[in-house]
Amino acid sequence: MHNHIYYLNQIFSDNICTYNQFISIKTIQQNLQAVLDNPAPFLSPFSFEITFECLQPLSDDLEWKVLYVGSAEDTSHDQVLDEILVGPIPVGINKFVLQADAPDISQIPEGDILGVTVVLVTCSYREKEFVRVGYYVNNEYTEEYDEEVGPPKPLDMNKVRRSVLAEKPRVTRFPIQWGDNKDEEIENVQQNGQGGMEGYTMEEAKMAGASGVGEDSMMIDAVME
């Protein structure tokens, strides 16, 4: 896990907006987000291309986290894959690539390595989380094996492929105080475009994504409808 500051390149063209999925928040209007190198080997890093528009000057950095749900049954297996500070944030449209290491398989129960789970990308300002984006992830063994016996043990992780359901993220927004005025009105925002789901939490992600579907990657799309 890294704790460093990304200095952003400001972009002045709207053409960088890959999806029509904006989270309109008082200060940040955000386009979340393109998943790069997908599908990919399990051991390769996660890469997210993030584009957002800053509508007002920010005096502090934005904190981004990438979290991997290791087990639907036990939160102790959740892993923070990366944690970075992004700033200073210029007013306007900004873009950067958030990259995080693959999860530590020693921290994942053997029976939960394959199948469906969830990866979360969160952003906070002054230690207050204001957006969380969840993706279903399907990990599958690339070589054929006897379904009755199961894949070989221990797993050859070089033969495990990770597929992120990038087209259907689940977005949760949290109203926060952006300025120093404690009486400031906190705007209650709404999601535009597809893929939004009010009240989507980590626990709901685990229930729907990790324990509610099997290993068949085609079932991910069904549960996301």
Side-chain angles (χ1 to χ4, degrees), residues 21-219:
Q21 281 183 254
F22 282 95
I23 303 168
S24 298
I25 300 176
K26 184 171 184 181
T27 302
I28 297 292
Q29 183 169 334
Q30 191 168 8
N31 183 0
L32 286 171
Q33 65 219 33
V35 181
L36 307 179
D37 303 325
N38 182 48
F42 182 91
L43 298 176
S44 65
F46 283 94
S47 294
F48 302 92
E49 184 180 78
I50 298 175
T51 305
F52 65 92
E53 182 177 9
C54 184
L55 305 178
Q56 299 178 13
L58 294 177
S59 57
D60 293 294
D61 299 327
L62 298 178
E63 182 182 24
W64 293 84
K65 291 183 182 181
V66 180
L67 302 97
Y68 186 86
V69 176
S71 173
E73 307 298 330
D74 188 349
T75 58
S76 68
H77 298 291
D78 295 347
Q79 299 182 43
V80 177
L81 303 183
D82 205 351
E83 183 175 4
I84 67 169
L85 296 176
V86 177
I89 308 295
V91 173
I93 298 175
N94 301 272
K95 179 171 69 172
F96 74 103
V97 173
L98 174 60
Q99 190 171 82
D101 293 337
D104 180 357
I105 60 171
S106 68
Q107 302 301 314
I108 304 174
E110 185 178 31
D112 290 321
I113 294 177
L114 298 182
V116 181
T117 186
V118 170
V119 66
L120 300 170
V121 178
T122 73
C123 191
S124 302
Y125 182 68
R126 294 180 175 176
E127 300 183 347
K128 300 294 184 182
E129 183 179 336
F130 65 89
V131 65
R132 177 183 303 173
V133 182
Y135 296 95
Y136 291 149
V137 180
N138 189 52
N139 300 312
E140 57 184 351
Y141 206 66
T142 56
E143 286 192 355
E144 293 185 3
Y145 58 87
D146 188 333
E147 294 289 345
E148 295 183 359
V149 177
K153 295 182 180 181
L155 287 172
D156 182 349
M157 296 307 298
N158 292 314
K159 297 178 180 179
V160 177
R161 180 175 59 196
R162 179 186 71 221
S163 298
V164 180
L165 190 63
E167 295 79 9
K168 295 186 178 181
R170 294 299 194 227
V171 182
T172 307
R173 295 145 323 271
F174 308 95
I176 67 169
Q177 178 181 311
W178 291 92
D180 296 323
N181 184 359
K182 293 184 179 181
D183 296 328
E184 176 188 40
E185 180 181 356
I186 300 176
E187 187 173 2
N188 192 9
V189 298
Q190 294 183 344
Q191 168 73 20
N192 294 323
Q194 298 178 352
M197 182 174 177
E198 293 293 336
Y200 186 79
T201 66
M202 182 182 294
E203 291 301 320
E204 291 170 328
K206 293 175 186 177
M207 294 300 294
S211 61
V213 288
E215 294 183 356
D216 187 346
S217 60
M218 294 183 65
M219 294 187 68

